[in-house]
């Protein structure tokens, strides 16, 4: 029975028939969110069930993916007051359409085994076109099969393929990787190896280098291995999985290259926090100390004795060096009960920060109201 329970837990993200205390329900309590002085948080959009990855489209439209809901949303701010006026469902019945990316009038959506595209969508939110299949050659395994996608400065679409397991060494090199392809779906190739499961990445606004989060394996105890923030300045790099986790955690089940032979993370995050969406802060409204740094959404632990995560972290970056990570927003976890789970972050053109929450089905907006930052502050 114990083995069956562990397998089901790994497949489902929690113990079958048992929801950990941290995942138990609760009403949204925005007044509990703690932020640095000068920051405020408000609701940007309600009624976005399962809100996951986000991408900004034209004319105040935010596109939002989901997982189990199978929907893609268009969250519309018509009057520019930085609060959604309407949430439209532009696609239903899709297979974990977590990833969304906007380019040249088209919305790209990542399902488990394919990437599709909705052309000329901005003017047809009430009557969306039928999607075009861009590439349907990705693995169909659902374990870590949901995808975050984003366009790189090389005009390639980056698409990860998670490991089909908690920890394993699959023969298919597509697993545990980040892949990329041209806009028309051709030229699909592996860009980075040894990546267990990334559900968030971004490209440095000046250098164009890919940075990404990665979730550590389970069942090595409460305090290891760490989640990771990684940097991939060139193709072909190997980031350790399944042989090495974090900087120096050798896997007890898989022998292979040593940690000295693979690429370590630039920042070790806390274990089991489920670091997902991340963005470089490219706005100018937050104080200077935040500019060029990274905001990371931590979905929260499901398999730790004392739950952690359920927050937004900030990682300073200067001259290509990062860290350490520090808490920017917390309060979705109260004791051992969470009423919300941050998934992704997105910087709006006014410099405010959006945070999606797939548990509460909401999107929040964090803005700075503290006046001009002090020099260097």
């Amino acid at each position: 029975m114990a083995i069956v329970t562990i397998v089901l837990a790994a497949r489902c993200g929690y113990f079958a028939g048992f929801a950990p205390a941290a995942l138990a329900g609760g009403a949204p309590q925005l007044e509990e969110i703690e932020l640095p002085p000068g920051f405020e948080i408000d609701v940007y959009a309600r009624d976005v069930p399962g809100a996951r990855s986000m991408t900004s489209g034209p004319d105040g439209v935010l596109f939002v993916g989901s997982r189990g809901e199978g929907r893609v949303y268009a969250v519309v701010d018509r009057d520019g007051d930085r609060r959604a006026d309407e949430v439209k469902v532009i696609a239903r019945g899709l297979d974990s359409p977590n990833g969304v990316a906007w380019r040249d009038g088209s919305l790209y959506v990542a399902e488990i085994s394919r990437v599709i595209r909705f052309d000329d969508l901005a003017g047809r939110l009430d009557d969306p076109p039928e999607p075009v299949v861009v590439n349907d050659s990705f693995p169909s395994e659902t374990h870590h099969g949901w995808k975050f996608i984003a366009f790189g400065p090389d005009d390639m679409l980056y698409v990860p393929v998670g490991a089909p397991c908690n920890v394993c060494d699959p023969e298919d090199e597509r697993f545990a990787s980040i892949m990329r392809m041209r806009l028309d779906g051709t030229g699909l190739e592996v860009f980075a190896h040894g990546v267990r499961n990334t559900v968030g990445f971004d490209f440095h606004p000046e250098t164009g280098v890919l940075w990404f989060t990665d979730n550590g394996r389970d069942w090595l105890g409460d305090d290891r291995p760490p989640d990771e923030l990684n940097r991939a300045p060139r193709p072909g790099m190997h980031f350790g999985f399944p042989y090495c986790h974090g900087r120096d955690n050798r896997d007890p089940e898989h022998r292979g290259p040593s940690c000295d032979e693979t690429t370590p993370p630039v920042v070790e995050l806390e274990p089991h926090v489920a670091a997902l969406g991340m963005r470089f802060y490219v706005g100018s409204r937050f104080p200077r100390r935040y500019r060029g740094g990274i905001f990371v959404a931590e979905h929260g632990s499901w398999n730790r004795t004392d739950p952690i995560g359920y927050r937004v972290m900030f990682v300073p970056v200067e001259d290509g060096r990062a860290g350490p990570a520090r808490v920017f927003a917390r309060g979705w976890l109260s004791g051992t009960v969470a009423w919300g789970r941050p998934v992704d972050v997105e910087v709006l053109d006014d410099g405010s920060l959006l945070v999606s929450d797939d548990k509460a089905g909401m999107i929040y907006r964090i803005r700075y109201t503290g006046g001009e930052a002090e020099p260097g502050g």
Side-chain angles (χ1 to χ4, degrees):
M1 176 63 72
I3 294 176
V4 172
T5 302
I6 288 174
V7 171
L8 288 174
R11 289 183 180 273
C12 302
Y14 50 84
F15 288 109
F18 170 77
L23 302 187
Q29 302 170 50
L30 214 55
E31 68 277 2
E32 293 189 4
I33 302 300
E34 299 176 14
L35 293 161
F39 287 90
E40 296 182 0
I41 186 169
D42 299 295
V43 174
Y44 182 81
R46 301 179 185 274
D47 302 321
V48 194
R52 297 275 297 184
S53 298
M54 302 179 286
T55 189
S56 296
D59 303 323
V61 178
L62 179 77
F63 295 104
V64 184
S66 68
R67 275 187 56 193
E69 292 74 11
R71 299 177 181 180
V72 177
Y73 306 96
V75 179
V76 183
D77 173 20
R78 290 195 192 87
D79 55 11
D81 65 351
R82 309 300 173 182
R83 188 181 297 269
D85 300 301
E86 186 176 7
V87 177
K88 300 175 181 287
V89 178
I90 62 171
R92 292 180 170 87
L94 300 181
D95 189 6
S96 293
N98 181 90
V100 288
W102 180 262
R103 176 60 65 93
D104 297 334
S106 296
L107 180 69
Y108 291 72
V109 177
E111 297 182 86
I112 296 291
S113 62
R114 67 178 188 169
V115 173
I116 58 178
R117 186 184 72 231
F118 294 86
D119 293 329
D120 302 318
L121 183 59
R124 298 188 57 183
L125 297 181
D126 293 318
D127 180 29
E130 289 296 316
V132 174
V133 176
V134 178
N135 190 306
D136 60 359
S137 64
F138 293 95
S140 60
E141 281 78 359
T142 57
H143 194 127
H144 297 150
W146 54 94
K147 296 168 171 56
F148 177 93
I149 56 175
F151 289 101
D154 54 4
D155 288 327
M156 303 280 275
L157 182 63
Y158 286 68
V159 185
V161 179
C165 55
N166 170 37
V167 59
C168 58
D169 193 0
E171 293 183 3
D172 189 335
E173 73 164 2
R174 296 176 300 173
F175 288 117
S177 77
I178 298 174
M179 306 189 74
R180 65 179 178 181
M181 64 185 181
R182 301 186 187 97
L183 302 191
D184 62 0
T186 61
L188 184 63
E189 64 181 5
V190 173
F191 177 82
H193 302 268
V195 181
R196 180 176 179 268
N197 185 39
T198 178
V199 196
F201 46 83
D202 198 7
F203 298 85
H204 191 282
E206 296 178 359
T207 66
V209 168
L210 172 68
W211 294 58
F212 62 92
T213 59
D214 194 11
N215 295 163
R217 64 157 292 181
D218 300 314
W219 311 119
L220 289 182
D222 280 357
D223 299 320
R224 69 185 186 109
D227 275 15
E228 301 177 0
L229 177 64
N230 293 282
R231 178 177 177 269
R234 61 185 182 277
M237 300 173 71
H238 196 292
F239 290 87
F241 180 85
Y243 317 112
C244 185
H245 313 284
R247 294 194 178 103
D248 55 8
N249 287 264
R250 292 300 304 274
D251 193 272
E253 302 172 36
H254 295 276
R255 296 297 177 183
S258 70
C259 295
D260 292 336
E261 298 175 81
T262 59
T263 304
V266 291
V267 175
E268 287 189 339
L269 304 171
E270 291 190 75
H272 308 301
V273 294
L276 301 185
M278 58 147 285
R279 295 292 193 285
F280 284 96
Y281 184 72
V282 294
S284 59
R285 190 66 189 95
F286 285 9
R288 193 170 304 168
R289 62 182 175 273
Y290 294 100
R291 297 173 197 175
I294 298 171
F295 287 100
V296 179
E298 292 185 347
H299 202 220
S301 60
W302 59 267
N303 56 348
R304 197 173 186 278
T305 304
D306 295 317
I308 56 174
Y310 306 90
R311 61 196 177 188
V312 176
M313 303 295 287
F314 177 73
V315 178
V317 178
E318 187 173 355
D319 297 328
R321 297 185 178 184
R326 58 176 181 261
V327 176
F328 175 74
R330 63 183 168 195
W332 288 275
L333 176 68
S334 179
T336 60
V337 177
W339 59 265
R341 305 189 77 188
V343 177
D344 197 14
V345 289
E346 175 80 356
V347 181
L348 289 183
D349 57 9
D350 71 338
S352 60
L353 184 74
L354 298 183
V355 181
S356 63
D357 177 347
D358 65 347
K359 182 173 177 61
M362 302 174 74
I363 298 172
Y364 316 103
R365 175 173 172 252
I366 298 175
R367 60 195 178 104
Y368 184 68
T369 60
E372 293 298 322
E374 66 276 12

